Amino acid sequence: MKAAIIYTSITGNTEALAEEIYQGMISKGIEVDFIPVDDLDYDMLPSYDVIAIGTYTWDNGDLPMEMEDLFTAFEEMDMKHVTTGVFGTGDSFYPYYCGAVNLFRDMLFVHTNLAVTLKVELTPQVSDSKRCEKFCDRLMGQLVTA
Ligand SMILES: Cc1cc2nc3c(=O)[nH]c(=O)nc-3n(C[C@H](O)[C@H](O)[C@H](O)COP(=O)(O)O)c2cc1C
């Protein structure tokens, strides 16, 4: 079983959430590659069984620029065998709260085996830890079995 967390973060909120999810997966004995999107080797994508994607939201509910290539890669590659989850942080002050999570969710639902989503307001709080745990459980519970 091969898993990856691929994320982007500017001010650290999404990175903190990604780290919490990473720890959650590690504690369940899963081996996980922890990859900032700028370091991603795109050829590796189809080799994962599970991929969790972490993104903040920019502009008016839009994807961060550095996530656009990843978004297109999922659209173009055949990855129905890959179980995915998408998580992100946003600010509910904006009209499209965590809009980038919604954009990934809708696309991953079509092109992968989407298992779960998670939205967190700015910095993850202690009260979010149960939600992180659920995210991991749902992600791992919906593995595609060959
Ligand atoms: C210019 C700008 C635009 C933003 N637009 C949105 C938005 O449309 N929706 C949203 O939920 N959050 C929006 N945010 C908030 C960020 O997504 C939020 O602060 C996030 O936690 C940043 O993640 P990071 O710390 O991982 O970089 C915006 C922030 C900035 C500075």
Side-chain angles (χ1 to χ4, degrees), residues 9-14 56-59 61 89 91 94 96-98:
S9 183
I10 292 182
T11 60
N13 295 336
T14 314
Y56 62 91
T57 295
W58 205 236
D59 249 352
T89 65
D91 184 344
Y94 291 92
Y96 297 104
Y97 174 58
C98 287

Side-chain angles (χ1 to χ4, degrees), residues 9 15 21 31-32 41 43 61 70 72 75 86-88 90 93 96 100-101 104 110 112-113 122 135 142 145:
S9 183
E15 185 170 38
I21 288 168
E31 251 182 62
V32 193
D41 174 356
D43 292 339
L70 181 64
T72 308
E75 282 183 311
V86 54
F87 61 91
F93 168 81
Y96 297 104
V101 172
F104 263 107
V110 174
T112 71
N113 174 43
L122 299 169
F135 179 93
Q142 290 204 17
T145 44

Side-chain angles (χ1 to χ4, degrees), residues 2-146:
K2 251 182 102 177
I5 295 172
I6 303 166
Y7 73 95
T8 184
S9 183
I10 292 182
T11 60
N13 295 336
T14 314
E15 185 170 38
L17 185 57
E19 275 167 5
E20 192 157 345
I21 288 168
Y22 176 75
Q23 291 304 334
M25 289 168 82
I26 291 284
S27 74
K28 290 179 196 309
I30 298 151
E31 251 182 62
V32 193
D33 291 342
F34 191 73
I35 312 168
V37 73
D38 289 339
D39 297 344
L40 178 65
D41 174 356
Y42 282 83
D43 292 339
M44 290 293 288
L45 275 182
S47 72
Y48 289 107
D49 305 292
V50 175
I51 300 177
I53 294 163
T55 183
Y56 62 91
T57 295
W58 205 236
D59 249 352
N60 202 16
D62 214 346
L63 295 180
M65 210 170 59
E66 68 274 19
M67 291 305 257
E68 284 173 5
D69 284 353
L70 181 64
F71 194 94
T72 308
F74 274 103
E75 282 183 311
E76 291 178 351
M77 288 178 182
D78 174 20
M79 294 218 262
K80 266 291 179 192
H81 65 286
V82 180
T83 296
T84 56
V86 54
F87 61 91
T89 65
D91 184 344
S92 56
F93 168 81
Y94 291 92
Y96 297 104
Y97 174 58
C98 287
V101 172
N102 292 347
L103 290 171
F104 263 107
R105 176 200 63 203
D106 293 350
M107 180 278 293
L108 292 169
F109 179 75
V110 174
H111 294 282
T112 71
N113 174 43
L114 177 70
V116 63
T117 68
L118 174 66
K119 296 175 183 176
V120 165
E121 178 90 27
L122 299 169
T123 310
Q125 305 294 310
V126 176
S127 55
D128 292 311
S129 62
K130 274 243 146 55
R131 301 174 68 221
C132 287
E133 208 180 312
K134 266 193 183 160
F135 179 93
C136 296
D137 285 347
R138 295 225 174 122
L139 188 62
M140 305 319 299
Q142 290 204 17
L143 272 178
V144 178
T145 44

